Structure formats: C-alpha cells, structure tokens
Amino acid sequence: MKYLKLSVVALANLLLMVELAVAEPSVKEIINTYSDIALAGYEDSLATAIELKTSIDTLIKNPTKENLNHARKAWRKSRVPYMQTEAYRFGNAIVDDWEGRVNAWPLDEGLIDYVAEDYGSESDENELYVANKLSGRTIDASTIDKKLLIDILHEAGGIEANVATGYHAIEFLLWGQDLNGSEKGQGNRPVTDFDIQNCTGGNCDRRVTYLRVVTEILIDDLKWMIGQWGTHGAARTSLLSANESEALSAMFTGIGSLSYGELAGERMKLGLMLHDPEEEHDCFSDNTHDSHYYNALGIQNVYHGRYKRIDGNLVIGPGLSDLVKARNAKTDQNVTKAIEKSVEQLASLKKRAETIEAYDQMIAEDNREGNKIVSDSIAALVAQTKEIERAISVLNIKPIEFESSDSLDNPSNVGKKQ
C-alpha cells in the first residue's frame, strides 16, 4: 500500500483550503454579489429592450407579418432577463417604487387602444376605462410623447389599472386583446394596424407613435435602474450602509415575497381558483409560463449568488446559501432542494405550455391535468417559502412578514369586493 506524504507546508495549505471551503462569507461580500447580479440582470434587460426597439422600428418602417412576428419574438426574449430581476422587488424600495412603470399588470387595455364590443363601455371604478388615447377621446392626447404617457396617463386618477407604460403596454400593442377565453389562441392584432397606408383599427399613425415612445420609455427606465446598482448606485450603497440584519432581511424579503404572495398567490393561485384566463401575467401573448419560470429562476439566482447572462457568461460569488450553509448545512440543503423542486416544477409547466396547451387553458375549469400542474407548482413555491423562513431563523434575523395573498391566506375572501 502506498501512502501520500505531505510536507509541512503542503499540509498547512491543505488545511487552509479546507478552512476556506467552510468559511462564513461576510455580509458585505454577499451584498456585492447580490448587487452584481442585479446589475447584470438589468443590463441584460436593457440589451434585449434595445433589440426589441430595433425590431419595432423595422415593423413601423415596413409593416409585414414577418416583421410583426420578429417584434413579438423580441418582446418574449426581453422578458427572460427582466423576470429574473423581480426577486429584487419587495425588499428594495428603489425597485418597488419604480417597478410599476415597467411591469404593472393587469391593465385596462381600453385606455390605450380600441377593444372588442363585449369589453363594455364603462367601469364604476375607472372613468378612463375606454378612454382610448389613440383616438384622442376624453383626454387631450393630441401629442403622444413621454410626458403624456408618464406624467398624465400612467396610473391616472390613482388607478393602478391605468397602465400606460412598460412591458405590458407594449405587449398589448403588439398582440391586441386575447379574445379566446380558455380556448387555444393568443391576441391576434393584424399587422395592418401598423400600416399607415392600409390602416385597420383606425389611428395607425398614432398607434405607431405610441409604440415607439413607450418602448423608448422602457429603455430609459432600465438605464436608470442600471445606475442604481452600479458601484456608487443608491440601491447598492443603501444595502452596504445598512446593518447586517437589515441587509439580509431585504434580500430574503425579495425572494420570500416573490415566492409566496406574488407568484404562488396573486399570479397563480388566484387565477386557478377563479379559472379566469384574464388572471395571467402575460395574457395578450400567452407568455405567462415563461414569466413564471424565470421568476422561479430569479429566486434561485439570488439564494445561490449565481446568474447566467444572456451571453452565457456567469456572474457568481458568495450568496445567501453560503452563509446559511456555514451556520447550518442541513438547513441550506433543505432550502436548496426546495428551490430546485420549484424550478423543476415550473420547468414542467413551461414545457406543457410549449407543447400541449397555454397557461390560460391550464387554469380553465374542468381541466384536471392542467389544473394539477399549476397546483403542484403552487405547492412547490409554498414549500420553498417555508424552507426560506427556516433559513432566516438559522441566521437569527428578525422574522420577516412576506407579501401575502388572500388566495393563499384567506381564500373565502377571493371574489368579494373590498
């Protein structure tokens, strides 16, 4: 039998490597990894938004079915990095205060453009329900520019459904209403809605102006958020200047609230309970399965301190997992397994949507198989949240109250007017 002989120096180096492998990372290191991932995610979101603008400019210049399909494909691509950044909501006020401009939903589409007759002509809750800014009715929308969309129309009257900017306003303009209910099909806006010389739907000149301006606003907003996560950005520095408990709470609040109240609750359980095809995040494009999956992936990114960029490069460093592991390896193992389970479950939902039926069909009444895969995904997210709570207790952080949802906590209240 041969024995490995180690010099004193080699043995010391080996022991040092073992010590480093289990060493507890500093909270500052974790914050910087967390911020680096945010920065990369928003940079990728900007890059794909610029690609989206290029495809929209091409569509406007040459309105063909092929160019409309390219613009729609670019919109879907732009959602991949952005949805992973939603793990930064809830725990970071800078992101929360800004997010409504870029990803607010659902929206009253009658505010923006023409809608089907069965949409109705009025709402007790929203006087701008069918204002149709493209036609210039009801409000002075004679000039469609950034000031009109941002300062006057977005959330006009304090009503969140008056969404004038962001991904979903662009989505509605590219696809139009999805009038298929729980049957197969997405929005089917004709390309001639963008053809000033052969216009359908009316106001084609105003529609293309709106589409161009709202995409420019999205790019402006993403550039601004990139600045917040740079070396001296307010989002990064606010975490670095906070005490360690507050900083860790902010990071865990983001992933826990997205996991539970937002994704499992408002975006999934509510629609499943009501069997309502309108209760899906990317409803015009039938892209909801992708948004849900990349939300789950974003949670995993933050916990493990790892993000795969759109060019394939990795942003990686000490993450929350490393800190939990140093305190209690078993707890970290349980959190890791729970997160992997939710990502796998939502990957299955995504695959079903891409091969069998869209998300709005899955949540339809009497669709036993579709309902089950959505229900199983919700259960995985809830289980994941419980493991995240256990990780928080291991770190001796003050208990965090994650975002809630009546659909999970008070289902008897769902459907009742508050």
Side-chain angles (χ1 to χ4, degrees):
M1 180 180 292
K2 294 183 178 180
Y3 294 90
L4 178 64
K5 294 183 179 180
L6 293 176
S7 68
V8 174
V9 174
L11 181 59
N13 286 338
L14 179 60
L15 291 173
L16 178 60
M17 289 174 64
V18 171
E19 182 181 349
L20 289 173
V22 296
E24 181 174 306
S26 71
V27 174
K28 182 178 180 180
E29 290 176 308
I30 294 170
I31 291 170
N32 278 320
T33 299
Y34 176 82
S35 300
D36 289 343
I37 290 173
L39 178 63
Y42 288 117
E43 285 176 341
D44 286 350
S45 298
L46 174 62
T48 52
I50 290 172
E51 289 181 28
L52 172 61
K53 182 182 182 300
T54 298
S55 68
I56 284 173
D57 289 343
T58 300
L59 169 65
I60 291 170
K61 183 178 180 180
N62 184 19
T64 65
K65 287 184 179 180
E66 181 181 16
N67 286 338
L68 176 57
N69 287 334
H70 281 316
R72 289 172 173 175
K73 184 177 180 180
W75 185 89
R76 292 179 187 276
K77 181 179 179 181
S78 74
R79 298 293 280 168
V80 171
Y82 178 77
M83 294 310 290
Q84 293 177 72
T85 69
E86 287 216 296
Y88 289 81
R89 292 181 55 197
F90 308 107
N92 296 286
I94 287 174
V95 179
D96 270 346
D97 294 343
W98 167 90
E99 185 272 343
R101 287 173 50 135
V102 296
N103 198 44
W105 78 287
L107 58 82
D108 283 346
E109 52 261 50
L111 171 73
I112 297 175
D113 200 0
Y114 72 87
V115 288
E117 289 185 8
D118 61 5
Y119 181 82
S121 59
E122 60 183 2
S123 166
D124 293 337
E125 299 175 353
N126 186 6
E127 65 179 1
L128 298 178
Y129 185 65
V130 286
N132 188 352
K133 69 173 62 65
L134 296 182
S135 73
R137 293 188 294 116
T138 307
I139 51 179
D140 181 8
S142 54
T143 301
I144 295 178
D145 56 17
K146 293 179 182 180
K147 180 176 177 57
L148 173 73
L149 301 191
I150 296 170
D151 298 336
I152 299 174
L153 291 168
H154 190 65
E155 296 186 355
I159 298 171
E160 291 184 355
N162 285 332
V163 176
T165 65
Y167 287 101
H168 296 295
I170 298 169
E171 180 193 13
F172 171 57
L173 285 167
L174 289 176
W175 273 272
Q177 287 179 285
D178 182 351
L179 302 173
N180 301 291
S182 294
E183 299 298 320
K184 183 177 181 180
Q186 54 195 228
N188 190 30
R189 185 184 291 279
V191 69
T192 44
D193 270 8
F194 304 99
D195 188 343
I196 296 173
Q197 304 304 319
N198 186 32
C199 183
T200 54
N203 303 299
C204 284
D205 55 337
R206 297 172 63 74
R207 186 173 298 109
V208 298
T209 300
Y210 187 102
L211 184 55
R212 183 184 294 113
V213 171
V214 75
T215 307
E216 290 172 356
I217 292 171
L218 176 63
I219 289 172
D220 291 344
D221 284 337
L222 290 168
K223 286 180 178 178
W224 183 85
M225 185 51 72
I226 286 170
Q228 307 313 301
W229 291 100
T231 303
H232 303 293
R236 185 189 294 255
T237 56
S238 66
L239 287 170
L240 288 169
S241 62
N243 65 52
E244 292 188 353
S245 180
E246 290 174 345
L248 290 170
S249 291
M251 290 183 270
F252 274 110
T253 296
I255 61 175
S257 293
L258 178 59
S259 175
Y260 188 73
E262 186 70 9
L263 184 52
E266 292 301 295
R267 296 188 183 180
M268 298 186 74
K269 183 66 173 181
L270 180 60
L272 183 61
M273 289 180 68
L274 299 176
H275 302 293
D276 185 354
E278 293 296 311
E279 290 290 343
E280 60 162 337
H281 195 66
D282 297 352
C283 63
F284 310 115
S285 60
D286 277 352
N287 190 60
T288 301
H289 58 281
D290 246 28
S291 285
H292 288 352
Y293 170 75
Y294 286 109
N295 270 171
L297 196 61
I299 293 168
Q300 187 177 58
N301 294 343
V302 167
Y303 185 70
H304 286 290
R306 182 178 65 243
Y307 168 63
K308 185 176 182 179
R309 301 199 62 162
I310 56 174
D311 62 5
N313 288 324
L314 287 178
V315 178
I316 190 167
L320 295 170
S321 170
D322 297 298
L323 184 60
V324 176
K325 185 187 298 182
R327 302 282 180 93
N328 190 312
K330 182 63 176 177
T331 298
D332 174 66
Q333 185 180 53
N334 290 339
V335 177
T336 296
K337 286 182 178 179
I339 290 176
E340 287 175 351
K341 175 66 176 177
S342 67
V343 171
E344 289 170 3
Q345 189 61 47
L346 282 157
S348 296
L349 184 150
K350 173 177 160 68
K351 182 177 180 180
R352 183 180 181 90
E354 292 169 346
T355 58
I356 298 175
E357 61 186 358
Y359 185 81
D360 52 5
Q361 294 175 278
M362 289 184 217
I363 62 174
E365 197 167 8
D366 299 325
N367 183 348
R368 184 175 298 178
E369 289 186 9
N371 283 192
K372 185 178 186 304
I373 196 167
V374 175
S375 182
D376 288 348
S377 299
I378 294 166
L381 289 164
V382 171
Q384 165 183 286
T385 308
K386 290 178 180 177
E387 296 301 335
I388 291 172
E389 288 174 333
R390 292 187 177 99
I392 291 168
S393 67
V394 163
L395 299 180
N396 294 319
I397 302 171
K398 181 180 178 182
I400 298 169
E401 187 173 340
F402 295 141
E403 192 82 0
S404 63
S405 170
D406 277 348
S407 60
L408 295 172
D409 303 317
N410 299 292
S412 60
N413 287 343
V414 173
K416 294 180 180 179
K417 286 193 174 183
Q418 302 298 313

